[in-house]
């Protein structure tokens, strides 16, 4: 299995602080059944920006260590790119990592809003031959309240990635429920752990898939994992027509989050 969203590089963002922590995370990835993982350190985030070459260098070091220790895991480069009006010039000047050197780019929205210029950025990326994949839309407050905002971005040509921890209930029951609704409505297309550490932000890779299986979403599981593989191979994804879902109520999410 392939994990397309992870924060595994040490001392570059809010992921692990030491190389030892990184190696522990990678060992756990193997136990989760993950065979390939895309490193997506933050780029353009208000607090973090992992340098392009810094990412490459650390991944080379880690892959060498994995080979020496006979750990069966293949690493790929990537960035989780925060939405900004500088994305296009950064991409053109080779300062942003796409996912595994493919034509897919992991795009992070602000936590509370879907800015008015989001569609413009999506169109500009598509004109460059790059398909944006919106990271964890289920954790965006505006989308949680108005899922039609995500539907509009999907119809514009973007794709979306649901997080394992969201499906596993790590962020509360309301976000878990919304994640399932997005899956059922064909509004998410790929699956990632968004792992940061092994304590507060672990993989939950198996647990999230198991949740979908228990909800009889076996076709969705197959689709999400196949699309992850297609990113690595830089192939077109399996897509289905998005459906409308009922508007969520953010006050419920706040209530359930506090209860947890």
């Amino acid at each position: 299995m392939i994990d397309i969203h992870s924060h595994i590089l040490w001392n570059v963002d809010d992921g692990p602080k030491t190389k030892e922590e990184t190696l522990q995370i990678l060992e756990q990835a193997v136990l989760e059944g993950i065979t390939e993982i895309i490193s997506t350190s933050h780029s353009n985030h208000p607090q973090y920006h992992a340098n392009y070459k810094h990412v490459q260098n650390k991944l080379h070091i880690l892959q060498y260590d994995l080979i020496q220790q006979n750990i069966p895991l293949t690493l790929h480069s990537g960035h989780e790119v925060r939405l900004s009006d500088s994305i296009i010039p950064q991409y053109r000047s080779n300062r942003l990592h796409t996912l595994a050197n493919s034509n897919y780019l992991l795009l992070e929205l602000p936590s509370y809003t879907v800015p008015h210029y989001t569609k413009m950025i999506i169109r500009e990326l598509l004109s460059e031959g790059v398909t944006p994949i919106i990271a964890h839309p289920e954790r965006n407050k505006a989308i949680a309240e108005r899922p039609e905002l995500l539907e509009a971005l999907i119809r514009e040509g973007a794709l979306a990635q649901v997080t394992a921890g969201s499906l596993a209930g790590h962020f509360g029951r309301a976000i878990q429920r919304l994640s399932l609704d997005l899956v059922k409505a064909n509004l998410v297309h790929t699956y990632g752990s968004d792992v940061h550490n092994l304590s507060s932000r672990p993989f939950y890779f198996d647990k999230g898939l198991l949740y979908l299986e228990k909800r009889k979403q076996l076709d969705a599981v197959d689709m999400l994992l196949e699309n992850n593989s297609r990113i690595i191979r830089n192939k077109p994804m399996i897509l289905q027509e998005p459906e409308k879902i009922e508007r969520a109520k953010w006050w419920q999410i706040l209530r359930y989050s506090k209860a947890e």
Side-chain angles (χ1 to χ4, degrees), residues 18-221:
T18 66
K19 184 180 176 185
E20 289 70 26
E21 287 181 69
T22 290
L23 289 172
Q24 289 172 2
I25 291 172
L26 297 180
E27 289 172 356
Q28 180 62 35
V30 174
L31 296 178
E32 292 265 343
I34 296 167
T35 56
E36 299 183 57
I37 188 166
I38 303 178
S39 170
T40 52
S41 302
H42 285 294
S43 173
N44 291 347
H45 189 278
Q47 294 175 281
Y48 310 103
H49 179 76
N51 177 271
Y52 185 96
K53 290 185 177 179
H54 203 180
V55 168
Q56 286 181 314
N57 292 339
K58 290 202 169 187
L59 283 174
H60 287 153
I61 292 170
L62 285 175
Q63 191 66 72
Y64 177 81
D65 288 347
L66 293 176
I67 293 171
Q68 293 301 306
Q69 298 179 36
N70 293 315
I71 298 176
L73 186 65
T74 301
L75 307 180
H76 301 277
S77 60
H79 266 135
E80 181 180 12
V81 183
R82 188 66 169 256
L83 183 77
S84 76
D85 56 10
S86 65
I87 287 178
I88 301 303
Q90 286 181 325
Y91 171 74
R92 288 174 177 168
S93 58
N94 295 318
R95 287 181 285 160
L96 296 178
H97 283 286
T98 59
L99 295 175
N101 296 309
S102 71
N103 293 326
Y104 296 101
L105 181 138
L106 189 64
L107 181 66
E108 182 186 37
L109 301 177
S111 299
Y112 294 89
T113 64
V114 178
H116 67 278
Y117 65 95
T118 304
K119 286 186 179 181
M120 180 190 71
I121 297 297
I122 289 172
R123 293 179 193 133
E124 290 182 350
L125 284 169
L126 290 170
S127 71
E128 296 285 333
V130 176
T131 299
I133 299 177
I134 298 168
H136 45 67
E138 75 280 0
R139 285 158 45 203
N140 176 281
K141 291 186 178 182
I143 289 173
E145 187 175 54
R146 298 177 57 203
E148 62 267 27
L149 293 175
L150 177 60
E151 181 191 352
L153 300 182
I154 300 305
R155 293 190 183 279
E156 199 67 45
L159 303 175
Q161 168 257 310
V162 68
T163 301
S166 297
L167 288 166
H170 180 68
F171 299 100
R173 285 181 289 172
I175 289 180
Q176 183 182 43
R177 195 164 54 244
L178 176 61
S179 299
L180 180 61
D181 287 343
L182 295 180
V183 169
K184 289 180 176 179
N186 300 321
L187 289 173
V188 292
H189 314 87
T190 65
Y191 183 71
S193 70
D194 197 8
V195 64
H196 283 64
N197 53 57
L198 294 181
S199 53
S200 61
R201 295 288 296 279
F203 280 99
Y204 291 119
F205 207 82
D206 278 342
K207 194 172 180 180
L209 295 175
L210 182 60
Y211 175 78
L212 287 178
E213 290 172 359
K214 288 182 176 178
R215 269 54 184 186
K216 304 185 186 306
Q217 299 299 309
L218 298 179
D219 288 344
V221 169

